[in-house]
Amino acid sequence: MRKSRYRNSGIDGYYDSIGEDVGAGREGGSVFIDSLDGMNPEEFVSGKEEAENVRKAVRKRSIGNAVSTVFTVIFGLIFLGSLIKIITIVSDYKIGDDLYEVIAEDFAGALAEMDEKRASVLPSDDTAPAMQSFEEIRSNGAVIYTPTAKIKPMTSTRFTQMLVKLRELKDDNPDTVGYISIPGTKVSYPMVKGSDNEYYLHRSFTGLRLNAGSIFIDYRNSADLLENRNTVIYGHNMSNGSMFHSTLKFLEEDFFMNNDIIIYTFDGIYTYEVFSIFETVSSDNYFRIWFSGSQDFVDFCKEEEARSIYHKEGISFGYDSHIITLSTCVNGTNDGRYAIHAVLKKIEN
C-alpha cells in the first residue's frame, strides 16, 4: 500500500477504501480530472461570474467603507468645530458678564449713596431761555450746527458724587463719555466713543476682544451730548440678555409708557423720555445726525414718532430739543434693527 504523505491528516482511510492504487487501470487518470470531464462550459462561466461578483462586492464594500470613513471624519470635524464655537461663546459671555457686572455693581453702589436733592427741568414754555442755541454754518456744502452757548452748571451732591465714578472709568479708558442706565432692565454700562463705529463693535470697555463689544456712541457725534441734535448709541442684542437686549422691554406698551433712559455724563445727569420704538433695517436713515436746518430736525423727530408702535400724549419737539437714538440688532436677521428714540426732558448737574 502506498504511504500517504498526509499520514497524520486523517485522510489515510480514503486510500484504503479505494484500493491499493486509486489510479490503477487509468492511464494518467485521476479523480479530479474525471470530475472535470463531467462539467459543462456553462458551469465554468457561472464560476467566473460568481468570482467576479465577489470581487465587485469587495470593491463596493471597500468604497462604501471609505466613503463612510470620510463622512465620519467630516461630521466629527463639524461636531468638534461646533463644540469649540459653543465653548467660545459661553466663555465670551462669561468674560463679558463678569467684566460689566463689576463695573455696574461699583457704579450702582455710588448711585445708592447719592443724595437726590435737586434737578433742573427743561423749560417748556416759549418765553423761557433756550437750553442751547445753535449757529448754522456750512462745511463742505452741508449745513451743520455748532453751539454758541452752554448751560451754566449747577452743582449738586448727586452729580458731584457720580462724577467721581465717571472719572475713575475715564482713567481706565480715555474713550469714556458717560454711563447709560435704564431702570427696570439690565442696561447699566459705561458708554465710549471711538474713532470709528467698528472698534468697539467687538471690543470691551477695557479693549479686550469680545463679541458682546461695548455700548458706544456714533463717532460722528460729540462726546458732549448737548452739542448733538441726535446722539446715536449702539449696542448688541446679546442672546444671554446682556448689552442692549433688554431695551426690547420697550416693545411692551406698559414699559414704554412708564420708563425713561438715564445717561450720566461729565456735564450732568440727563433723563430722556422714550417717544418711539419700531423695527427697521440698517439701511434706513433712522440714525440721522446732520440736518438741513432746525425745522428739518423737528420734522425728523415727528416722523420717527409717527413710526412708533406706541404713542404718548404730550410729546413735543422744538428747535432746541435734543434726542438720543438707541440702535440694536433684530436677532435672526442680517440687517434688521430696532430703533428707540427718546427726547431729553430733565438735566441734573
Side-chain angles (χ1 to χ4, degrees), residues 35-281:
S35 66
L36 292 180
D37 290 340
M39 295 182 66
N40 56 49
E42 287 77 7
E43 291 180 272
F44 283 103
V45 174
S46 176
K48 283 184 177 182
E49 290 179 349
E50 184 175 350
E52 183 63 28
N53 289 337
V54 170
R55 283 193 294 270
K56 287 181 179 179
V58 171
R59 284 198 300 269
K60 186 175 181 181
R61 184 179 302 171
S62 299
I63 294 173
N65 289 340
V67 172
S68 177
T69 301
V70 170
F71 275 105
T72 299
V73 172
I74 291 174
F75 287 129
L77 291 174
I78 292 174
F79 174 78
L80 181 60
S82 299
L83 183 61
I84 293 174
K85 185 175 181 180
I86 291 172
I87 293 174
T88 301
I89 291 173
V90 172
S91 175
D92 194 81
Y93 282 161
K94 176 65 174 172
I95 293 171
D97 287 346
D98 289 347
L99 168 65
Y100 287 116
E101 185 177 351
V102 170
I103 296 174
E105 287 179 352
D106 189 41
F107 205 82
L111 291 175
E113 298 174 359
M114 291 181 184
D115 181 19
E116 297 188 32
K117 289 184 177 180
R118 185 173 56 186
S120 59
V121 181
L122 290 178
S124 58
D125 59 280
D126 295 335
T127 59
M131 284 184 53
Q132 181 77 65
S133 59
F134 287 86
E135 177 185 1
E136 297 187 7
I137 61 174
R138 293 189 173 273
S139 175
N140 297 324
V143 177
I144 60 175
Y145 299 86
T146 182
T148 57
K150 293 183 179 180
I151 298 175
K152 184 178 179 180
M154 295 180 292
T155 59
S156 69
T157 303
R158 181 177 174 84
F159 174 64
T160 53
Q161 288 179 337
M162 173 276 300
L163 200 54
V164 173
K165 287 299 176 184
L166 280 180
R167 285 171 177 165
E168 289 177 359
L169 290 175
K170 198 169 183 67
D171 287 340
D172 293 333
N173 184 348
D175 289 341
T176 302
V177 296
Y179 195 96
I180 184 170
S181 173
I182 303 178
T185 75
K186 292 183 178 180
V187 176
S188 182
Y189 297 102
M191 295 195 319
V192 292
K193 175 179 178 289
S195 58
D196 55 42
N197 287 339
E198 297 296 326
Y199 182 80
Y200 283 109
L201 197 61
H202 296 296
R203 293 276 182 176
S204 73
F205 172 76
T206 59
L208 177 69
R209 187 78 182 175
L210 196 69
N211 287 331
S214 300
I215 303 300
F216 61 97
I217 72 172
D218 196 295
Y219 78 100
R220 299 168 297 173
N221 279 133
S222 170
D224 184 344
L225 302 188
L226 289 181
E227 293 184 0
N228 305 317
R229 290 286 198 180
N230 179 21
T231 303
V232 182
I233 308 171
Y234 303 98
H236 285 300
N237 178 6
M238 302 302 290
S239 58
N240 70 333
S242 64
M243 308 313 287
F244 268 178
H245 177 81
S246 55
T247 61
L248 303 189
K249 291 194 71 173
F250 284 111
L251 291 171
E252 304 169 12
E253 186 172 9
D254 183 67
F255 194 87
F256 176 89
M257 294 294 179
N258 297 290
N259 290 272
D260 297 325
I261 299 171
I262 302 173
I263 296 181
Y264 304 87
T265 77
F266 295 93
D267 302 308
I269 304 172
Y270 299 89
T271 300
Y272 293 84
E273 182 175 8
V274 176
F275 66 85
S276 178
I277 182 171
F278 54 87
E279 183 177 336
T280 182
V281 293

Side-chain angles (χ1 to χ4, degrees), residues 275-276 278 301-309 311:
F275 66 85
S276 178
F278 54 87
C301 293
K302 291 179 178 179
E303 290 168 2
E304 300 306 284
E305 181 188 27
R307 299 175 69 181
S308 178
I309 61 176
H311 302 279

